[in-house]
Amino acid sequence: MSSSYLPATTDSIARALEAKTPSEAISILYRVLQNPSSAPDAVRIKEQAITNLSDLLRQENRAEELKSLLAQLRPFFALIPKAKTAKIVRGIIDDVAKIPGTSDLQISLCKEVVQWTRAEKRTFLRQRVEAKLAGLLMENKEYSEALNLLSGLIKEVRRLDDKLLLVDIDLLESKLHFSLRNLPKAKASLTAARTAANAIYVPPAQQGNIDLQSGILHAEEKDYKTAYSYFFEAFEAFNALEDPRAVFSLKYMLLCKIMVSQADDVAGIISSKAGLQYVGPELDAMKAVADAHAKRSLKLFEIALRDFKAQLEEDPIVHRHLSSLYDTLLEQNLCRLIEPFSRVEIAHIAELIELPVDHVEKKLSQMILDKKFAGTLDQGAGCLVIFDDPKTDAIYPTTLETISNIGKVVDSLYVRSAKIMA
């Protein structure tokens, strides 16, 4: 980078745009920013140079230079309005976030910016950067530090009554409590976010975020039908914005269909006009699970888990429901296998289902206790004995009704005799 500066004019910006290589364009823009002029036109050109420079550095994955650029620009921020400063700072932070593998650098950068905003008393910018920092800490699984940061920030923002920021913070707090498996607090924070959102206009992307979190919490409570409706709302919002989160909303919609034993609907949703836009590994994974569920095949389910490990087991939301789904499939598979028998060896069932004998025996015992079917385990012979479905004898409810009526008659006679004796 040359030490001599260039004039802060549109010609310099045009020269950077016409540069043959990104490195040459970056060098030109740096030299424009070194111009000491503080004239209004020069300041406006420098703002354009900063935008172009940050875009180029992002495209070249030069995250460290973006961080250095933010520090170099602090004297320039004294020349422009605070609102423009906030826009530039948040823009550079967002550019760093778009570079893969920069999680630690983002946290370091946000902490530096927070210290600078405290020294400069830029409250508006500090609150937004702190909210961003809390989100990064949560993604980095530093939950305690994120919670401490949010608890102080949320009190401050509530006093200022900044509704839009309050929605962001309450939603982030809900996600944080959910990560800590504290569902009551996660629901309370989400309710607070919805209350704040009802008082203002919320951008569609943020409304989609709220609906997505609502769906996740309802799914956690096994209310899959309500969760499906929230995921559908989130999908529509993200789909309209062409947001990449649309595919995850669609994926969770399919999960809800599978969990309520409507796996046959999955293929229809995927082949719909909206679903065809997102055909890929995420939807293929859910289709494989749906096929396994429809066929009550544990083997197909395990194949799907193996083939789509990244989409199923490494997705924290789907992974939480896999154990429940596995148990359901195992029960359905066992019920299908024992249907033709009145007495069958446990070893034979284990061989058919391709699972260890002790695992199958334990599951059958649990199913008998849960009254999934009538039977008993003959452990001495290593057999499962299945009983016919017991038919309720009609005499028992009739007898209970008769006894109840006799009781009423006796009570009535007692009251009458008490009056006569009196």
Side-chain angles (χ1 to χ4, degrees):
M1 185 173 66
S2 174
S3 59
S4 61
Y5 62 81
L6 289 174
T9 61
T10 52
D11 289 341
S12 298
I13 298 293
R15 182 179 163 188
L17 291 173
E18 292 167 2
K20 293 179 180 179
T21 63
S23 297
E24 185 184 344
I26 289 168
S27 176
I28 292 168
L29 292 170
Y30 267 123
R31 289 167 66 191
V32 171
L33 293 177
Q34 287 175 351
N35 191 305
S37 174
S38 58
D41 287 344
V43 169
R44 182 173 53 79
I45 294 298
K46 286 182 183 179
E47 288 173 18
Q48 181 62 44
I50 291 167
T51 303
N52 292 357
L53 180 57
S54 61
D55 284 343
L56 284 168
L57 291 174
R58 173 180 55 79
Q59 290 167 16
E60 293 295 299
N61 291 340
R62 289 155 74 165
E64 287 289 351
E65 282 194 43
L66 277 168
K67 183 182 177 184
S68 302
L69 174 64
L70 203 49
Q72 292 168 23
L73 291 174
R74 287 177 187 174
F76 175 72
F77 291 149
L79 304 175
I80 60 176
K82 288 186 176 181
K84 283 190 177 179
T85 299
K87 184 179 178 182
I88 291 171
V89 171
R90 292 171 67 189
I92 291 175
I93 291 173
D94 289 342
D95 282 335
V96 174
K98 291 172 185 174
I99 299 173
T102 57
S103 178
D104 292 336
L105 182 67
Q106 288 178 64
I107 291 171
S108 171
L109 177 59
C110 286
K111 286 179 177 178
E112 282 185 17
V113 172
V114 166
Q115 288 178 352
W116 174 73
T117 51
R118 284 188 186 280
E120 295 288 319
K121 296 181 179 172
R122 295 175 183 257
T123 305
F124 177 85
L125 177 57
R126 174 181 57 78
Q127 289 171 344
R128 278 149 183 79
V129 176
E130 281 186 337
K132 174 77 174 177
L133 176 58
L136 290 168
L137 290 170
M138 184 184 73
E139 288 174 11
N140 221 30
K141 297 185 178 178
E142 297 177 34
Y143 299 127
S144 179
E145 190 177 349
L147 200 57
N148 290 336
L149 182 61
L150 273 184
S151 59
L153 183 60
I154 202 163
K155 290 175 185 174
E156 188 180 340
V157 174
R158 276 182 182 150
R159 282 199 304 269
L160 296 172
D161 201 31
D162 186 342
K163 297 283 189 190
L164 192 56
L165 181 57
L166 194 58
V167 172
D168 290 342
I169 295 171
D170 282 330
L171 186 58
L172 185 59
E173 189 179 40
S174 176
K175 291 177 180 178
L176 183 56
H177 284 307
F178 178 72
S179 299
L180 292 169
R181 311 299 299 136
N182 191 335
L183 291 183
K185 285 193 174 181
K187 287 174 67 179
S189 297
L190 182 62
T191 303
R194 282 192 170 281
T195 304
N198 288 337
I200 56 167
Y201 169 75
V202 177
Q206 188 65 313
Q207 186 60 51
N209 260 330
I210 293 171
D211 289 332
L212 186 62
Q213 182 67 6
S214 299
I216 289 168
L217 292 181
H218 278 285
E220 194 67 23
E221 294 180 324
K222 312 296 183 188
D223 185 1
Y224 294 109
K225 289 187 178 179
T226 307
Y228 178 87
S229 64
Y230 277 118
F231 287 137
F232 181 74
E233 293 291 337
F235 171 71
E236 286 201 320
F238 293 140
N239 184 42
L241 297 167
E242 297 183 355
D243 190 302
R245 286 171 292 184
V247 70
F248 294 104
S249 302
L250 182 56
K251 180 181 175 182
Y252 301 150
M253 283 167 58
L254 301 179
L255 175 67
C256 291
K257 283 291 184 184
I258 294 167
M259 296 305 290
V260 293
S261 300
Q262 294 177 0
D264 294 339
D265 294 347
V266 168
I269 294 171
I270 293 173
S271 60
S272 66
K273 184 179 177 182
L276 287 172
Q277 299 176 49
Y278 300 98
V279 169
E282 301 290 346
L283 299 193
D284 290 343
M286 299 314 296
K287 190 173 186 302
V289 173
D291 289 342
H293 190 279
K295 293 174 182 175
R296 296 193 296 180
S297 170
L298 200 64
K299 187 173 183 180
L300 287 176
F301 181 71
E302 288 175 343
I303 290 170
L305 285 180
R306 186 183 68 241
D307 293 347
F308 298 100
K309 186 175 181 181
Q311 288 77 26
L312 298 175
E313 291 195 357
E314 293 177 14
D315 185 321
I317 307 303
V318 175
H319 181 67
R320 285 193 173 95
H321 300 278
L322 283 181
S323 59
S324 170
L325 190 59
Y326 181 86
D327 279 347
T328 303
L329 283 173
L330 180 55
E331 287 176 6
Q332 289 178 347
N333 225 19
L334 286 170
C335 287
R336 179 171 61 85
L337 290 173
I338 65 176
E339 273 173 359
F341 300 103
S342 60
R343 183 182 178 90
V344 60
E345 289 184 354
I346 297 170
H348 180 61
I349 299 173
E351 185 181 341
L352 290 174
I353 205 169
E354 298 179 0
L355 287 174
V357 174
D358 57 339
H359 187 178
V360 172
E361 186 176 342
K362 184 179 178 182
K363 188 62 186 176
L364 289 170
S365 173
Q366 182 187 333
M367 289 170 69
I368 292 168
L369 291 172
D370 291 342
K371 298 183 179 178
K372 297 291 173 70
F373 68 89
T376 186
L377 290 172
D378 185 348
Q379 290 181 311
C383 289
L384 169 69
V385 181
I386 299 103
F387 304 143
D388 292 332
D389 291 335
K391 294 180 180 178
T392 306
D393 197 328
I395 194 170
Y396 295 117
T398 306
T399 304
L400 287 171
E401 187 181 349
T402 304
I403 291 169
S404 175
N405 289 335
I406 291 171
K408 289 176 184 176
V409 171
V410 171
D411 290 342
S412 176
L413 290 172
Y414 175 76
V415 171
R416 286 187 181 185
S417 64
K419 285 181 180 178
I420 292 169
M421 292 298 291

